[in-house]
């Protein structure tokens, strides 16, 4: 029997940060995760900073964020950060290769002229308020499935994006292509021929996370993926810049709240 597109909806929620006193220049923490995320925006004035770009978002925009991509929201004006948040994992079957390609990169879609997405989103929000919790995730799974196929087969409009600072882009790309290395600020600043203080300052200002924490969290998340795929933690640790298992064990448990030998292998 062929598996369905969505393996699991991990979370679905409507968020309205209207309770926060001020929004102007509000910055949310940079983070990444090992599942897909879709955010649907209901207000203008939001920017999303990702590994490579700054995406300016408006009402009736949705952003698709694949696993292992750092991102954070920034409020650019006095506006309410109203959004629908959906976290999910998908089936990697060849049958869904075109959908997988669609989800490969971060995309921003303007569906303001797409009545099908507007209608289905409004229906889902109404169902969220009225349905039993036991049925919520079944409804969410159907909504996400419909949304992805609508994006795939409809003439949707992809929004433009702005590149982040070029040196930050280069550092991000270098780290992601060299997760097996030990990264230090000194080594990175030497590699890119810039001062350590300047590099640290501009990276933190753009990404809202230090270079070393960025690299370490990327390494740990990739290590987690390898362990879930069946590799031994005692072997994986040396693949991602750790000198000994004890240090890896402590870092892994701090990051994920569970020791590397306790996570469930697929």
């Amino acid at each position: 029997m062929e598996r369905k597109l969505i393996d699991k909806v991990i979370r679905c929620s409507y968020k309205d940060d209207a309770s926060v006193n001020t929004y102007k220049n509000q910055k949310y923490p940079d983070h990444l995760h090992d599942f897909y995320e879709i955010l649907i925006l209901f207000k203008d004035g939001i920017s999303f900073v990702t590994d490579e770009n700054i995406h300016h978002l408006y009402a009736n925009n949705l952003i698709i964020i694949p696993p292992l991509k750092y991102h954070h929201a920034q409020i650019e004006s006095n506006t309410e950060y109203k959004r629908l948040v959906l976290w999910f994992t998908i089936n990697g079957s060849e049958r869904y290769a075109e959908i997988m390609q669609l989800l490969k990169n971060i995309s921003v879609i303007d569906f303001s002229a797409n009545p099908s997405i507007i209608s289905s989103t409004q229906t889902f929000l109404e169902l969220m308020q009225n349905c039993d919790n036991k049925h919520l995730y079944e409804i969410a799974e159907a909504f996400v499935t419909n949304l992805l196929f609508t994006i795939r087969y409809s003439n949707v409009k992809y929004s433009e994006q702005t590149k982040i600072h070029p040196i930050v882009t280069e550092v991000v790309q270098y780290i992601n292509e060299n997760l097996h290395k030990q990264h230090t600020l000194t080594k990175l600043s030497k590699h890119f021929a810039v001062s350590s203080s300047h590099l640290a300052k501009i990276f933190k200002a753009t990404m809202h996370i230090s270079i070393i924490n960025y690299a370490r969290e990327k390494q740990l998340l990739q290590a987690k993926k390898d362990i879930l795929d069946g590799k031994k933690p005692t072997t994986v640790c040396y693949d991602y810049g750790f000198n000994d298992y004890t240090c890896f064990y402590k870092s892994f448990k701090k990051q994920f709240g569970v020791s590397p030998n306790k996570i469930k292998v697929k």
Side-chain angles (χ1 to χ4, degrees), residues 18-80:
S19 59
V20 179
N21 292 330
T22 181
Y23 288 92
K24 191 168 185 179
N25 297 321
Q26 176 73 31
K27 296 179 180 179
Y28 287 75
D30 207 41
H31 63 285
L32 79 171
H33 34 64
D34 54 358
F35 47 79
Y36 291 89
E37 180 175 23
I38 289 178
L39 282 93
I40 297 179
L41 279 296
F42 301 102
K43 290 285 186 178
D44 296 344
I46 311 295
S47 287
F48 242 75
V49 181
T50 64
D51 273 351
E52 300 170 346
N53 301 298
I54 300 174
H55 306 266
H56 302 289
L57 307 180
Y58 304 92
N60 292 327
N61 279 184
L62 70 81
I63 182 167
I64 302 172
I65 304 166
L68 307 183
K69 293 287 187 179
Y70 265 98
H71 56 280
H72 66 264
Q74 183 170 346
I75 311 304
E76 297 180 323
S77 60
N78 290 322
T79 187
E80 298 163 332

Side-chain angles (χ1 to χ4, degrees), residues 169-184 187-188 191-192 211 214-216 218-220 222 238-242:
T169 299
E170 290 180 32
V171 172
V172 164
Q173 182 177 353
Y174 177 79
I175 289 174
N176 284 297
E177 291 176 352
N178 295 276
L179 292 177
H180 62 284
K181 292 185 177 181
Q182 283 188 325
H183 297 291
T184 67
K187 288 179 180 179
L188 289 168
H191 180 85
F192 291 99
I211 291 180
Y214 174 90
R216 181 50 52 90
K218 280 276 188 168
Q219 289 169 325
L220 286 169
Q222 191 61 48
Y238 298 107
D239 294 337
Y240 296 104
F242 289 87

Side-chain angles (χ1 to χ4, degrees), residues 48-230:
F48 242 75
V49 181
T50 64
D51 273 351
E52 300 170 346
N53 301 298
I54 300 174
H55 306 266
H56 302 289
L57 307 180
Y58 304 92
N60 292 327
N61 279 184
L62 70 81
I63 182 167
I64 302 172
I65 304 166
L68 307 183
K69 293 287 187 179
Y70 265 98
H71 56 280
H72 66 264
Q74 183 170 346
I75 311 304
E76 297 180 323
S77 60
N78 290 322
T79 187
E80 298 163 332
Y81 185 18
K82 292 186 176 183
R83 72 275 191 200
L84 175 62
V85 181
L86 297 152
W87 294 353
F88 59 96
T89 56
I90 64 174
N91 173 15
S93 168
E94 183 63 27
R95 178 182 180 184
Y96 302 116
E98 292 179 340
I99 299 292
M100 291 290 292
Q101 188 62 33
L102 170 71
L103 297 173
K104 186 176 180 180
N105 298 307
I106 293 174
S107 301
V108 176
I109 296 167
D110 178 6
F111 62 89
S112 57
N114 190 308
S116 175
I117 296 179
I118 292 175
S119 176
S120 62
T121 300
Q122 186 59 44
T123 299
F124 178 64
L125 289 173
E126 292 172 0
L127 288 171
M128 282 183 70
Q129 294 178 344
N130 299 320
C131 75
D132 296 332
N133 286 336
K134 63 182 180 180
H135 294 135
L136 176 59
Y137 285 85
E138 294 178 58
I139 296 169
E141 180 184 313
F143 172 67
V144 174
T145 300
N146 178 69
L147 186 63
L148 293 178
F149 277 109
T150 300
I151 293 170
R152 167 64 183 85
Y153 290 106
S154 297
N155 186 25
V156 296
K157 178 182 177 183
Y158 287 83
S159 297
E160 296 182 357
Q161 53 202 19
T162 304
K163 290 290 185 182
I164 62 175
H165 195 286
I167 189 64
V168 176
T169 299
E170 290 180 32
V171 172
V172 164
Q173 182 177 353
Y174 177 79
I175 289 174
N176 284 297
E177 291 176 352
N178 295 276
L179 292 177
H180 62 284
K181 292 185 177 181
Q182 283 188 325
H183 297 291
T184 67
L185 182 57
T186 300
K187 288 179 180 179
L188 289 168
S189 61
K190 184 177 181 180
H191 180 85
F192 291 99
V194 295
S195 71
S196 298
S197 58
H198 177 68
L199 183 57
K201 182 178 180 180
I202 197 167
F203 193 96
K204 183 68 178 289
T206 303
M207 301 300 291
H208 298 179
I209 189 173
S210 72
I211 291 180
I212 303 310
N213 285 341
Y214 174 90
R216 181 50 52 90
E217 289 187 14
K218 280 276 188 168
Q219 289 169 325
L220 286 169
L221 201 53
Q222 191 61 48
K224 179 185 177 184
K225 181 178 181 298
D226 285 359
I227 294 170
L228 287 171
D229 286 339

